[in-house]
């Protein structure tokens, strides 16, 4: 690239250093504007008035040169970087919970932010070190995420930093938390079975009520509320508390069907439990949904669509939750302790009849 002088700002176009890459000076020279104009356009400074033609010239020069803004200079100038920190236990490596990151990245990108993600695998030393690194980069805020809905102790390092807890709840009720609406999801799942005509609806939960696991408590509360609204009572004889794995789904579905008055429908509080229930019903010669309807919870996309028949289930709103978490940070991340519960959508497949099932 030869040297040249532009007519508007006097900037001299020079060949970028192979080590440093193109500079704002180079963008100004190629666009034929001043360096100050480039800075104001790229930073979208409020009150700056430029014609669309000028903006287009700057953006084209940026694209042609492959110019990137100096993140360190941004930190010095504004006190924060253009990044949001995302710290999770095993969220990034979970096949279905990865949608949380997808939603967070999507919303961050819309506001010109990048997401710096660390997957700690529950290692508290790694978590501590990663948070220190993120805060040293002056991230605009931190999303503290968990693989499953539980109460968490938020690290002290996040005090005074715009933060939000995702897919869990801050035990101290200090930092905003974004969770799935477990009770409404349990209610919708059970009501779907009731609307199909079932009156003997069993439940296999993913934990005991004594565990205080929010997902187990909420889904059971929704199940109970739907039954009561339908004029029914919760029958302990057709409620089981497993561990959320296929083995307990298999075991407890067999137990339920062996009772004197077996259910005609089973609400499994996650899809892995439903998978086990499918196996039990197949072994017993029961057809789904003709003999027994089954509904799950999670919409685990590596599992639910591939069961035979496809599993009707509740979808955890991971993308929406990730988006909302970043939105709260963009709004300022005030430490108000609010808990926002997002609705789980019913995903219809083929494990529940449309209507008129025999009681």
């Amino acid at each position: 690239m030869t040297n040249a002088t532009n007519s508007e700002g006097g900037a001299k176009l020079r060949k970028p250093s192979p080590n440093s890459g193109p500079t704002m000076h180079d963008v100004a020279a190629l666009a034929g504007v001043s360096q100050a104009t480039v800075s104001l356009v790229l930073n979208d400074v409020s009150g700056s008035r430029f014609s669309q033609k000028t903006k287009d010239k700057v953006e084209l020069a940026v694209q042609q040169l492959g110019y990137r803004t100096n993140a360190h200079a941004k930190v010095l100038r504004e006190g924060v970087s253009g990044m949001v920190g995302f710290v999770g236990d095993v969220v990034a490596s979970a096949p279905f919970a990865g949608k949380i990151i997808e939603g967070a990245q999507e919303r961050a990108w819309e506001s010109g932010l990048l997401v710096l993600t660390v997957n700690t695998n529950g290692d508290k030393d790694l978590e501590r070190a990663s948070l220190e690194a993120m805060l040293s980069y002056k991230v605009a805020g931190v999303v503290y995420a968990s693989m499953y809905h539980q109460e968490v102790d938020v690290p002290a390092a996040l005090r005074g930093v715009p933060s939000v807890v995702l897919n869990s709840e801050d035990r101290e009720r200090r930092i905003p938390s974004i969770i799935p609406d477990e009770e409404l999801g349990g209610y919708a799942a059970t009501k779907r079975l009731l609307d199909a005509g079932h009156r003997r609806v069993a439940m296999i939960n993913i934990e005991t009520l004594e565990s205080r696991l929010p997902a187990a408590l909420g889904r059971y509360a929704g199940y109970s509320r739907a039954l009561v609204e339908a004029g029914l009572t919760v029958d302990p004889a057709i409620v089981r508390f497993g561990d959320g794995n296929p083995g307990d789904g298999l075991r407890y579905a067999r137990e339920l069907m062996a009772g004197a008055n077996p259910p005609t429908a089973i609400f499994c509080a996650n899809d892995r439990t439903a998978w086990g229930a499918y196996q039990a019903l197949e072994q017993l010669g029961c057809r789904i949904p003709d003999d027994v309807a089954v509904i799950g919870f999670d919409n685990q996309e590596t599992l639910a669509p591939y069961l035979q028949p496809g599993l009707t289930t509740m979808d955890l709103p991971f993308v929406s939750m990730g988006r909302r978490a970043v939105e709260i940070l963009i709004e300022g991340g005030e430490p108000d302790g609010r808990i926002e519960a997002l609705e789980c959508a019913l995903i219809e497949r083929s494990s529940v009849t449309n209507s008129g099932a025999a009681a």
Side-chain angles (χ1 to χ4, degrees), residues 27 98 101 156 183 229 263 306 309 338 343:
V27 173
I101 298 177
E183 181 173 345
E229 282 189 8
Y306 302 107
R338 81 183 99 157
E343 184 175 351

Side-chain angles (χ1 to χ4, degrees), residues 13 40 105 231 298 320 339:
L13 185 61
L40 292 172
Q105 289 182 154
D298 286 346
S320 298
I339 297 178

Side-chain angles (χ1 to χ4, degrees), residues 163-164 176 178 324-333 338 340:
S163 306
V164 59
I178 305 298
R324 183 58 186 144
V326 172
E327 186 119 316
I328 288 177
L329 294 182
I330 292 171
E331 293 169 354
R338 81 183 99 157
E340 293 189 16

Side-chain angles (χ1 to χ4, degrees), residues 50-309:
F50 302 104
S51 68
Q52 189 59 49
K53 182 178 179 181
T54 297
K55 291 182 179 180
D56 290 344
K57 287 196 298 182
V58 171
E59 290 169 0
L60 179 60
V62 166
Q63 182 179 356
Q64 290 178 338
L65 291 172
Y67 172 75
R68 293 182 176 85
T69 57
N70 188 324
H72 294 292
K74 182 179 177 68
V75 172
L76 291 173
R77 183 174 65 252
E78 301 178 8
V80 294
S81 68
M83 294 186 292
V84 170
F86 187 109
V87 177
D89 44 17
V90 291
V91 171
S93 58
F96 58 99
K99 286 189 170 183
I100 288 180
I101 298 177
E102 177 187 329
Q105 289 182 154
E106 184 181 81
R107 182 61 187 89
W109 186 251
E110 290 171 6
S111 294
L113 300 169
L114 295 176
V115 177
L116 178 60
T117 304
V118 175
N119 195 64
T120 67
N121 288 312
D123 184 326
K124 290 301 179 181
D125 289 335
L126 177 57
E127 176 181 278
R128 191 178 304 109
S130 62
L131 283 173
E132 288 177 1
M134 285 180 179
L135 297 180
S136 73
Y137 277 104
K138 303 293 184 182
V139 292
V142 175
V143 176
Y144 188 73
S146 178
M147 167 62 184
Y148 65 92
H149 186 181
Q150 58 184 314
E151 287 192 333
V152 295
D153 296 309
V154 177
L158 293 182
R159 293 184 182 277
V161 178
S163 306
V164 59
V165 173
L166 180 55
N167 201 35
S168 278
E169 301 172 30
D170 176 12
R171 198 184 309 276
E172 295 183 4
R173 298 294 187 266
R174 185 175 56 84
I175 291 177
S177 302
I178 305 298
I179 61 171
D181 195 327
E182 308 285 9
E183 181 173 345
L184 183 58
Y187 173 85
T190 307
K191 191 172 187 304
R192 175 67 182 89
L193 297 171
L194 294 168
D195 288 347
H198 296 279
R199 289 298 175 268
R200 190 75 175 155
V201 179
M203 180 181 185
I204 306 177
N205 211 335
I206 55 175
E207 252 297 354
T208 64
L209 301 182
E210 291 74 21
S211 72
R212 308 305 299 169
L213 183 71
L217 292 173
R219 295 172 197 185
Y220 179 80
Y223 165 76
S224 302
R225 178 159 65 93
L227 291 176
V228 170
E229 282 189 8
L232 303 170
T233 57
V234 177
D235 182 356
I238 54 172
V239 176
R240 296 291 185 277
F241 298 94
D243 61 6
N245 286 310
D248 272 0
L250 172 66
R251 170 189 171 193
Y252 288 130
R254 290 184 66 91
E255 276 189 18
L256 291 167
M257 299 310 296
N261 186 13
T264 63
I266 304 175
F267 167 34
C268 296
N270 72 359
D271 292 351
R272 288 170 59 79
T273 296
W275 181 20
Y278 265 54
Q279 296 173 58
L281 294 170
E282 181 181 12
Q283 292 171 7
L284 294 169
C286 297
R287 296 167 301 164
I288 302 172
D290 300 326
D291 299 321
V292 182
V294 179
I295 195 166
F297 207 114
D298 286 346
N299 192 31
Q300 191 167 343
E301 292 185 350
T302 56
L303 174 63
Y306 302 107
L307 294 177
Q308 294 297 323

